[in-house]
Amino acid sequence: MITMNLLLHLYIFFSIIFISLSSSYSCTPNDNNALLQIKKSLNNPPYLSSWNPRTGCCTGWTGVECTDGRVTYLYLSSSTISGNIPPAITMLKSLNLLFIKHTNISGPIPDNISDLKNLTFLDLSYNQLTGPIPGSLSQMPKLEAIEIHDNKLTGSIPNSFGSFVGNVPELDLSNNQLSGKIPESLSKYDFNAVFLSGNSFTGDGSMFFGRNKTTRQLDLSRNMFQFDLCYKFKCKPTVIKLTIATIQFMVII
C-alpha cells in the first residue's frame, strides 16, 4: 500500500514537472504561425533556418524569446534579410521588444505597426526603409523609444508626435532624408533624448529648450535650423550633452 501511494505521488509529481516544462517551452499557435509567415515573406533567409515548423517557436529559434508561450522579443539582423517589413509582425500581440536592424529591408514602415500595443522598444535602424514616418507611432501607449535612424525616410515629423497617447519616447530619427519644420506641438513635451542629426530640417528647433526642460541628450547637427538660442536658452542646467555643430544661430548683443 505504501509502495502504491509512493508511486502515485511520484507520478503526480513528475506529471506536474512535465506539464510545467512543456508549457514553458510551448508556443501559442498564433505566434508560431505568425513567425512562419514572417520567414516566408522574407524568402526564407539562412538567418532564420532554425525556424522549423516541426518545432515550437519558443525552443531556441534565432532571435526569438518567449514569456509564458508568447513571443515578447524579436531580433532580426542580417544582410541576407531583404524585402519589406512583413505584415505578420502585427500578429505578435505580446511583443515588447522589436529589433529589425542592419538588414536590407526596404519599403515603408507599415502604418499598422501601431497594432503592437505592448511594444516598448522599436528599433528599425540601419536598413533601407523609405517613405514617411507613420503618424500612428504616436498611438502606441507603452512605447519608450523609437529608433529609426540610418534609413532613407523622407517627409517631415508627423504632427501626431505632438500627442503621444502614452509615454513620451526617446526619438532617434538621425541620418535619414527628412525635411520640413519641427511641429510646434512637440514643445509641450519634455523628451529625455532627441536625435535629429543628418537630415534637412529647417526653421525653429528651440522648442527643445526651455526653463522647465530636463532633456539630457539633444543632437540637432547637420540640419538647416535657424533660431535665436540666446533668447530661448532659459533652461535648467540638466543638459549633459548638446551637439550644435552646423546649426545657424542668431545671437543678439
Side-chain angles (χ1 to χ4, degrees):
M1 187 67 176
I2 294 176
T3 303
M4 289 298 296
N5 285 334
L6 179 61
L7 289 174
L8 179 62
H9 283 93
L10 287 173
Y11 173 79
I12 294 172
F13 174 75
F14 284 111
S15 294
I16 293 173
I17 291 178
F18 177 78
I19 293 171
S20 176
L21 288 174
S22 298
S23 62
S24 65
Y25 287 100
S26 65
C27 180
T28 62
N30 177 80
D31 288 6
N32 207 79
N33 292 335
L35 290 175
L36 292 175
Q37 288 184 43
I38 291 170
K39 179 182 179 181
K40 182 178 180 179
S41 67
L42 296 175
N43 298 313
N44 302 306
Y47 179 82
L48 302 180
S49 60
S50 64
W51 292 20
N52 190 328
R54 293 190 296 271
T55 62
C57 65
C58 300
T59 57
W61 286 17
T62 299
V64 177
E65 293 182 11
C66 300
T67 301
D68 297 326
R70 301 305 305 269
V71 175
T72 54
Y73 172 97
L74 182 60
Y75 187 97
L76 303 179
S77 180
S78 171
S79 61
T80 65
I81 297 177
S82 60
N84 295 338
I85 295 178
I89 280 181
T90 60
M91 296 171 59
L92 301 172
K93 301 300 185 183
S94 295
L95 202 59
N96 299 141
L97 305 170
L98 175 58
F99 298 84
I100 303 177
K101 56 191 304 182
H102 293 286
T103 75
N104 282 305
I105 291 285
S106 58
I109 301 173
D111 191 65
N112 67 341
I113 201 167
S114 60
D115 290 346
L116 298 173
K117 300 300 185 185
N118 288 305
L119 204 67
T120 61
F121 198 99
L122 175 65
D123 188 345
L124 303 177
S125 58
Y126 299 106
N127 295 301
Q128 306 295 321
L129 296 171
T130 57
I133 299 172
S136 61
L137 295 180
S138 65
Q139 303 304 303
M140 303 173 75
K142 298 182 180 180
L143 203 56
E144 297 178 359
I146 300 174
E147 296 203 4
I148 51 179
H149 57 89
D150 291 275
N151 281 286
K152 299 176 180 179
L153 299 171
T154 55
S156 57
I157 295 177
N159 287 325
S160 63
F161 276 25
S163 55
F164 287 103
V165 297
N167 302 308
V168 179
E170 296 185 1
L171 292 179
D172 193 342
L173 315 180
S174 56
N175 299 321
N176 279 286
Q177 298 169 16
L178 300 168
S179 59
K181 296 182 178 181
I182 308 299
E184 183 62 32
S185 56
L186 269 66
S187 63
K188 67 182 180 182
Y189 287 127
D190 194 9
F191 291 91
N192 182 57
V194 179
F195 304 94
L196 302 181
S197 65
N199 287 286
S200 297
F201 291 119
T202 59
D204 189 358
S206 63
M207 71 280 297
F208 298 113
F209 302 92
R211 185 178 300 276
N212 297 315
K213 299 291 186 179
T214 59
T215 300
R216 300 182 67 81
Q217 293 189 333
L218 176 62
D219 188 347
L220 305 180
S221 65
R222 295 180 293 127
N223 284 286
M224 294 181 285
F225 290 116
Q226 274 191 302
F227 56 91
D228 184 353
L229 184 61
C230 289
Y231 176 75
K232 295 291 296 189
F233 210 137
K234 299 176 182 179
C235 54
K236 295 179 180 179
T238 58
V239 176
I240 59 175
K241 181 179 180 181
L242 171 62
T243 305
I244 58 176
T246 68
I247 302 177
Q248 299 181 55
F249 296 106
M250 292 186 295
V251 179
I252 301 175
I253 301 177

